Amino acid sequence: MKRSVRILFCLVLIFLTAASAGAQTPPVDGAPVTLSTQRRYDLALRAQSLWLMIQMTFDAKNRWVYEKELSDCYAQLGEMDKAQEELKASIADNPNGVPAPEPTMRKIRRHRKKVGLAVTPEPTVETPVSTKTMATSTPRGKVTLTPTHIPTDTPADEVATAPATESDTTSSNAAVTPTEQPTAAPVTIGTLTLGSYFGLWSVNYADPTNGAEILFPVSASVNLASDIALTASTNYLVGYYQYQAGDTLDLNSFSDTTVAVQYGFKTLDLDTVLSETVNIPTGEPSWTSQSSGSDLPIFLVDPRYSAAALSFNTLYAISIPVDSSKWGLGMGYVLNTDYNSNGGWAVDAVDVRPGDSLYFSMNRVTPTGSNQSDVFQASVYFSFVTTESGIPFTCPGPNINFSYAWNNPTAFSFELGSQFYLPGQTAVNGVLAPDPTYSSGPRLYLKPSYVIDNLTLAGQVKYVLPNGYDASDLNYVEGGLLLSVGPNYNLKLDGQAFLTLTASYNFVDSLGGGFDANGNRVDLLYNWFNCSASYSFTF
């Protein structure tokens, strides 16, 4: 298994390096080295450094050897601070207390000399005389660039705030003397989060419909390099649903799996991010349709389970500094494939292909004090035609989002937002025609929170207005109200592990969501309790 993974990563690295290098031939001996040629072999060195980082995770025993070789790569790239940092870490992790051999350094130097590239001299690093204590080593710095909100495959009920942030870990250049040798800081390359969730709800209606869900989410992120991050997430859900007639439904399955790669780089000296997200259909497509009769109203509460088609989400975003603020501009495209959403029911299978989406987003992040900021964000989604068995079915109208947030990590914060849906098109006998109404009502929300040390008190108020259909139409949704309040407690277990505990009570009012014995619309009033725990640790 380990060998297969290594081979897979080798193939990926070879592909990336070849694509970046382009169809160029190495210069002959004595020929001048052009900028493109230099960049070509610098990219090869970065691919080598990436592979060394991956090897560290599979061969912890010889981690010090890879750290020494990684130091050699950084030296060839002219990044002397990083070279010194990795060399110190190698000395600290070396069980024999001596520097590692450097076969990779010699190979790289010979190769660069052969193709006519300048050979950078190895940095001079002052090392401690005694090996009983470890040399100073700080974690490699990682710049996280999120200039714009990265939306999911479908428009969310709320516009998440994703301010542009930059965190920089500065390595120490001070010489380490034999008499003063602090303990080396751990070098981390990723985070793993394991969670559990329990939700229970009931509704005050003729024959009560109730439900309970247990969720086990798993997510991981790995920094493949200082500017490349890989994330993956999925969850396993167990659901129990009770219907009006007294029937019950028990479901359990993995949901879809999401894998994303984010690459940070420069565009005209501006911070830029390119994100590629793949939604892998590992979920059960019939879950949503089977549980819909007993589930919470999805126009007020986001579904906890996801089962959709294979899709690819591409995002390009750039961060532009203006005075003290940063403006983030982004655009993306979601490519969907078809899937059968009716599995598990005694009906004919229908292959649904959700329409692709094109979206644009903009935000502005302005620091206003000690770790405080205000964030304004706007986004718009354009959806293409959704088909059933190849026949046009519907084409939703544009979806527009606005939000403003005030962030204070030590006191009061809030987010205020809105979402609007414009009229789209509906198929009549397989032919799309303009729809004078909008299928989803406008919505407003407010999310306040207050932080007291490790405790956060959070709440939410969401109000959804009626959609554009006539009250006599089966597609009519009168709207509703969501009120939520609950604590969130973060506990730091040690330097690299955290435990987060949350709980909340939610009151959900689906206006006109049900019918009485006479066929008149009545409100559905839900009481929804949930609690969760997540454990995160870096490695």
Side-chain angles (χ1 to χ4, degrees):
M1 177 65 182
K2 184 184 296 184
R3 182 177 180 182
S4 299
V5 172
R6 291 185 178 181
I7 293 173
L8 176 60
F9 272 104
C10 281
L11 293 175
V12 173
L13 291 174
I14 292 171
F15 173 80
L16 292 175
T17 304
S20 302
Q24 298 184 19
T25 56
V28 297
D29 292 341
V33 179
T34 64
L35 180 61
S36 59
T37 304
Q38 182 78 40
R39 177 172 176 77
R40 176 185 179 186
Y41 289 99
D42 284 348
L43 285 172
L45 284 174
R46 293 199 180 278
Q48 172 70 11
S49 65
L50 175 60
W51 173 236
L52 290 171
M53 291 182 186
I54 295 171
Q55 287 181 290
M56 291 181 191
T57 64
F58 291 96
D59 191 3
K61 181 179 180 180
N62 295 314
R63 181 185 182 95
W64 60 281
V65 177
Y66 303 124
E67 287 172 334
K68 178 59 173 66
E69 295 178 355
L70 188 58
S71 172
D72 299 334
C73 285
Y74 285 140
Q76 291 299 315
L77 289 167
E79 300 177 5
M80 298 306 177
D81 289 343
K82 292 183 178 180
Q84 175 176 284
E85 180 182 341
E86 291 298 336
L87 186 56
K88 288 180 180 179
S90 173
I91 296 172
D93 294 338
N94 184 4
N96 300 321
V98 296
E102 45 183 81
T104 303
M105 178 71 170
R106 291 193 295 269
K107 292 179 181 178
I108 294 175
R109 290 170 65 90
R110 285 198 301 267
H111 179 70
R112 290 174 67 92
K113 185 176 180 180
K114 180 179 179 181
V115 300
L117 295 176
V119 179
T120 307
E122 186 173 2
T124 302
V125 180
E126 187 171 343
T127 58
V129 175
S130 173
T131 59
K132 294 182 180 180
T133 57
M134 293 182 289
T136 301
S137 175
T138 56
R140 286 185 290 272
K142 178 182 181 296
V143 176
T144 302
L145 173 63
T146 54
T148 56
H149 168 55
I150 302 176
T152 56
D153 295 344
T154 57
D157 283 346
E158 301 91 7
V159 181
T161 301
T165 58
E166 293 185 9
S167 58
D168 186 18
T169 305
T170 306
S171 59
S172 173
N173 293 323
V176 180
T177 62
T179 58
E180 180 178 294
Q181 299 175 11
T183 304
V187 177
T188 62
I189 63 171
T191 302
L192 177 65
T193 301
L194 306 175
S196 61
Y197 160 89
F198 175 73
L200 175 69
W201 67 87
S202 63
V203 61
N204 183 19
Y205 184 53
D207 292 323
T209 56
N210 305 283
E213 293 175 335
I214 302 175
L215 181 69
F216 300 97
V218 179
S219 63
S221 62
V222 178
N223 302 324
L224 301 180
S226 61
D227 50 6
I228 301 178
L230 173 67
T231 61
S233 63
T234 188
N235 62 70
Y236 186 81
L237 184 64
V238 178
Y240 169 83
Y241 307 97
Q242 180 179 345
Y243 290 88
Q244 295 181 27
D247 297 334
T248 60
L249 175 67
D250 298 328
L251 297 174
N252 59 88
S253 176
F254 277 100
S255 71
D256 289 344
T257 301
T258 301
V259 179
V261 176
Q262 181 172 293
Y263 174 48
F265 56 99
K266 293 288 187 179
T267 299
L268 299 178
D269 203 32
L270 298 175
D271 290 333
T272 308
V273 63
L274 178 63
S275 176
E276 298 288 342
T277 304
V278 180
N279 184 75
I280 304 173
T282 52
E284 171 52 59
S286 67
W287 183 297
T288 301
S289 59
Q290 291 189 68
S291 62
S292 59
S294 179
D295 202 354
L296 295 160
I298 59 175
F299 69 94
L300 283 169
V301 179
D302 292 335
R304 280 74 57 208
Y305 188 81
S306 172
L310 177 67
S311 64
F312 303 88
N313 186 341
T314 299
L315 170 70
Y316 176 86
I318 189 169
S319 179
I320 305 174
V322 179
D323 297 329
S324 61
S325 302
K326 282 192 175 181
W327 288 82
L329 302 176
M331 64 176 296
Y333 190 88
V334 179
L335 175 65
N336 293 309
T337 60
D338 61 349
Y339 70 111
N340 174 24
S341 61
N342 293 346
W345 286 100
V347 296
D348 294 336
V350 176
D351 290 331
V352 177
R353 188 185 189 282
D356 297 344
S357 299
L358 176 67
Y359 57 89
F360 301 90
S361 61
M362 175 187 70
N363 69 2
R364 186 210 64 195
V365 181
T366 303
T368 57
S370 176
N371 292 326
Q372 302 176 23
S373 63
D374 64 0
V375 181
F376 168 78
Q377 182 165 301
S379 61
V380 59
Y381 297 77
F382 298 94
S383 298
F384 299 101
V385 179
T386 295
T387 62
E388 288 190 354
S389 298
I391 301 174
F393 177 71
T394 185
C395 183
N399 170 258
I400 304 174
N401 305 269
F402 298 98
S403 70
Y404 172 80
W406 165 264
N407 298 318
N408 186 341
T410 59
F412 177 74
S413 302
F414 73 90
E415 180 183 349
L416 177 65
S418 61
Q419 188 174 35
F420 302 93
Y421 297 87
L422 301 182
Q425 300 179 80
T426 301
V428 179
N429 296 324
V431 179
L432 289 174
D435 192 339
T437 63
Y438 43 90
S439 58
S440 300
R443 58 204 61 200
L444 304 170
Y445 69 90
L446 173 65
K447 293 182 178 180
S449 64
Y450 193 84
V451 178
I452 307 173
D453 295 330
N454 294 328
L455 177 67
T456 301
L457 301 176
Q460 180 183 184
V461 179
K462 182 195 294 186
Y463 181 68
V464 179
L465 282 70
N467 64 6
Y469 290 96
D470 186 85
S472 60
D473 196 302
L474 292 178
N475 294 318
Y476 175 71
V477 177
E478 191 172 342
L481 175 69
L482 168 67
L483 301 175
S484 176
V485 62
N488 182 322
Y489 187 77
N490 293 311
L491 178 63
K492 185 176 181 180
L493 302 179
D494 55 40
Q496 294 179 290
F498 296 86
L499 179 65
T500 302
L501 305 175
T502 63
S504 70
Y505 164 72
N506 306 267
F507 173 74
V508 183
D509 184 0
S510 176
L511 301 175
F515 296 89
D516 62 15
N518 298 320
N520 300 315
R521 288 184 177 271
V522 294
D523 293 354
L524 299 183
L525 306 178
Y526 296 83
N527 291 298
W528 177 34
F529 302 87
N530 58 58
C531 59
S532 65
S534 65
Y535 174 72
S536 301
F537 63 93
T538 56
F539 55 88

